Structures are given as C-alpha cells and as structure tokens.
Amino acid sequence: MNRVLVVDDEQTLAQNLQAYLQAQGLEVHLAHDGASGIDQAESLAPDVIVLDYRLPDMEGFQVLETVRRNRSCHFVLITAHPTAEVRERAAELGVTHVLFKPFPLMELARAVFDLMGIERQRRSTDQPAAGFVERRQNRNESFPLQLYDGSWVLADRRRNGTKPGEPDDEQLLTGE
C-alpha cells in the first residue's frame, strides 16, 4: 500500500492535506506533534512522511533523524520559513523535496508520487469533496468556504447551488 504520514501541528491544514492525498489514491495518516509522528512512523512504516519544519515539541529535523535510525522512508519537508539554513539542513539530511508555504497541492502530490516512484495520473472519477462551512471574519461579516479538492476555498454565493468547476491543481495551500 502507498502509505503517507502527515506530521503537522495545524490540524485543519493536516486534514486538508490528508483529504487531498486520499483523493489521489493514497493511504494517509496524521500526527500533530513530533513525538506522535515518531511513534506512528514506527508502527505504520510509511513510504513517505510529509513533515512540517516547526512542530510544538521539536523541529521537524529531529523527527526525521529519529525516524531514520529505525526506518527507511522518504521525506517531504513543508515550511513557511524558507530560510537558507532550513534549505541547507534539509540538503545535508538528504531531503530532496522541500515545499515552501503557500504551495499548490499538486506540487505536494507530485513530490509524494515522485518519492514513491509512481506516475501521478488524474482520474475521471476524481470528485471534489462536498460541504460548505461558514467562517466568521467578525460578528457582522461571514464568508462561506467549501472543501474542494482537499482545500478550503471561498464559495461563490451567486451560484445558487450550481456545481463548482473542475478542481484547480494550482490552488495554493497556506499555513504556518
């Protein structure tokens, strides 16, 4: 099975990554801190770990080094901190795929499939996730978001229930 572990402390972001990668046909598990990421890496034996650089209990590089002591797997580092130090340290540790937030979800899928040695193909059966959620900017204003192709996007209220267009693989993912 093509198993991926996403280790990110931002739960909504991690769930969006999980939904998107599952829509790509992958088995995806989540961890929200370094310690649980290390534990799950040991028990799940993922092929690829998508790892946030900043975690509440440790740096992503500490997770990587600990996991590599007992497991052989690939890593995709995601970070909102595109510093030279982060890039250099990733290169030293053999991380070939570093994505700086915001990034298109398609880039994450490409990185994961590349590391697994699988050619990514869009399927005609790919369906966007359904459902709307109201998010409040303040007490007087709200704006609708829809989970669409693994990402929350603004829903256009003028559509009056018509189905949104095709998923946009160029959509940017944001987060810290």
Side-chain angles (χ1 to χ4, degrees):
M1 184 80 187
N2 298 317
R3 189 171 295 145
V4 177
L5 174 61
V6 175
V7 183
D8 197 308
D9 60 316
E10 292 183 52
Q11 292 188 15
T12 302
L13 174 73
Q15 290 167 349
N16 285 339
L17 294 176
Q18 181 182 39
Y20 183 77
L21 292 173
Q22 284 175 336
Q24 304 298 311
L26 301 171
E27 177 186 331
V28 184
H29 300 269
L30 299 179
H32 299 296
D33 59 53
S36 61
I38 292 167
D39 290 343
Q40 286 196 45
E42 188 63 32
S43 63
L44 295 171
D47 301 298
V48 174
I49 296 178
V50 177
L51 182 62
D52 189 18
Y53 169 67
R54 292 244 169 128
L55 297 167
D57 56 344
M58 64 183 75
E59 270 189 0
F61 293 134
Q62 292 171 284
V63 174
L64 182 148
E65 290 172 325
T66 304
V67 169
R68 279 199 175 151
R69 285 186 204 133
N70 302 315
R71 285 258 167 252
S72 175
C73 71
H74 300 288
F75 290 86
V76 176
L77 182 70
I78 59 175
T79 182
H81 307 281
T83 64
E85 292 82 19
V86 170
R87 284 180 288 185
E88 288 170 10
R89 181 76 174 130
E92 287 172 11
L93 293 171
V95 178
T96 57
H97 293 75
V98 179
L99 299 176
F100 299 110
K101 298 174 188 174
F103 57 84
L105 289 172
M106 182 176 59
E107 290 304 314
L108 176 62
R110 282 183 186 157
V112 169
F113 278 88
D114 180 52
L115 290 169
M116 289 181 173
I118 301 170
E119 186 174 331
R120 177 182 178 262
Q121 296 185 8
R122 293 199 50 89
R123 297 178 296 270
S124 61
T125 58
D126 287 350
Q127 295 293 322
F132 288 90
V133 173
E134 288 289 327
R135 296 285 191 232
R136 295 208 175 270
Q137 192 163 352
N138 60 43
R139 289 183 183 198
N140 300 323
E141 278 183 75
S142 69
F143 54 96
L145 293 176
Q146 180 182 21
L147 184 61
Y148 187 74
D149 196 31
S151 296
W152 290 102
V153 295
L154 282 172
D156 188 348
R157 289 183 177 165
R158 296 171 293 176
R159 291 190 181 173
N160 296 326
T162 59
K163 189 172 179 154
E166 287 297 310
D168 179 9
D169 279 341
E170 300 301 319
Q171 195 168 24
L172 293 179
L173 175 74
T174 60
E176 186 171 341

